[in-house]
Amino acid sequence: MRAGETSPRQAAALTARWTGVAAAAFLLVNLPSLLLDGPSRWADGVSTVLTQHVAPQGLGPVDISYYLTDGTGALGYYSAAALALLLATLALLGLHPRRLGPALAALPWPAFFLSARSTETYFMLLAPLWLVGFACLDQDALARAYQWRPPLLRRRQVRLALPAVLGLPAAALLLTAIASPPPLTLRPTAYTSSGSRGVTTISVTLQNRTGTALRPAFGTSSDAWADFHWRIVSGPAVLAPHATAHYRLRHTGTGAFRLNPSGASYLRVLSDAPMTLTNIPFAGRPKG
């Protein structure tokens, strides 16, 4: 921002001072947890938002694998695509601060749209930040912002093609997540219901079509929220490569899972390492 008004050394010094202020504020807020929990547990806690493997939720491309297909064998690639698009957006902001600066507060949103937990969470949480950012934006400072222009970037054709080139990794990861077939075959589900309480037990046969052992985690859903209060009563905890096993599940949470009377309800099977998702609608008839 200031490189066009001051010398490179002065601009770097100003950046360093603001970086120090931000680091001090961050440390002040996190100091109690750092002292009470220890550096290792504190580091795990503050990085969870980036490292935790979570079930899909939200409104975005992940819904293709959640509702329109049988799942995906590369669920983690949705979040990898979001990270790639964030890096591409950051690079474009560095190259075009005058043009993209006015939208600075909202620039991360397109990338979060690709993540496994997408707009429903990030859009609502960040909306107040966007409003403050737009209200406090210094348009005059942005108009004078320094723009790095090496000889290659002075060519109009290169500048026009650059956004597409930077976005290619995110597009490739997203297409891989969508096109990757789910790793499991789920046989038609039988389930028992207890009157108006809903579904209490589920029986399902899983076939692992991959050469990797999978640890299945079961959930049910009638909307974007999944119910993971299901305990494996019988069936192996780890499904071996190319193996087939029968599972019986029991609902352990308060109440039971209620089927959607006006839409589809799904049994969802997730795994970690690798992150996968397999879906099947409730097609069996209730028994009992």
Side-chain angles (χ1 to χ4, degrees):
M1 290 295 295
R2 302 300 182 191
E5 304 173 7
T6 64
S7 68
R9 177 176 294 183
Q10 290 173 321
L14 181 62
T15 301
R17 286 200 298 271
W18 279 108
T19 302
V21 171
F26 178 80
L27 181 61
L28 181 63
V29 172
N30 287 272
L31 189 59
S33 177
L34 184 60
L35 295 176
L36 293 174
D37 300 328
S40 178
R41 293 183 63 187
W42 170 82
D44 289 341
V46 298
S47 62
T48 295
V49 67
L50 299 175
T51 60
Q52 185 183 36
H53 292 178
V54 294
Q57 179 190 327
L59 304 172
V62 70
D63 285 348
I64 296 174
S65 298
Y66 208 58
Y67 295 112
L68 302 183
T69 69
D70 294 333
T72 173
L75 180 61
Y77 278 45
Y78 281 106
S79 295
L83 176 59
L85 189 55
L86 276 173
L87 294 175
T89 304
L90 186 61
L92 287 172
L93 176 63
L95 295 173
H96 302 283
R98 297 177 186 176
R99 180 168 295 181
L100 297 179
L104 179 61
L107 278 181
W109 179 80
F112 285 135
F113 183 69
L114 303 184
S115 68
R117 299 179 78 86
S118 49
T119 56
E120 183 179 8
T121 300
Y122 292 106
F123 183 91
M124 299 301 294
L125 289 178
L126 296 180
L129 175 63
W130 298 355
L131 295 176
V132 173
F134 291 140
C136 300
L137 202 62
D138 189 345
Q139 296 281 1
D140 293 335
L142 288 170
R144 300 189 305 269
Y146 170 75
Q147 297 194 117
W148 181 57
R149 286 293 179 268
L152 183 64
L153 290 179
R154 293 172 189 167
R155 300 174 57 182
R156 186 171 181 271
Q157 297 86 342
V158 174
R159 293 199 304 272
L160 291 176
L162 194 58
V165 172
L166 290 174
L168 277 177
L173 290 167
L174 181 62
L175 291 175
T176 301
I178 294 173
S180 179
L184 300 172
T185 298
L186 276 63
R187 304 277 174 85
T189 306
Y191 58 91
T192 60
S193 59
S194 178
S196 60
R197 291 182 56 227
V199 178
T200 55
T201 64
I202 298 175
S203 298
V204 61
T205 300
L206 270 61
Q207 179 185 6
N208 185 354
R209 298 182 296 182
T210 72
T212 304
L214 300 174
R215 183 181 293 272
F218 296 88
T220 51
S221 71
S222 298
D223 49 30
W225 298 89
D227 180 354
F228 289 103
H229 293 98
W230 293 96
R231 181 172 63 87
I232 297 176
V233 177
S234 62
V238 177
L239 188 60
H242 306 293
T244 300
H246 181 76
Y247 287 85
R248 186 168 181 268
L249 314 173
R250 182 177 299 278
H251 195 273
T252 60
T254 57
F257 173 68
R258 297 182 181 277
L259 298 176
N260 190 341
S262 59
S265 298
Y266 296 89
L267 171 66
R268 307 194 187 276
V269 184
L270 294 105
S271 70
D272 191 8
M275 293 178 63
T276 68
L277 168 68
T278 307
N279 309 306
I280 188 173
F282 274 90
R285 296 182 178 181
K287 299 178 182 180

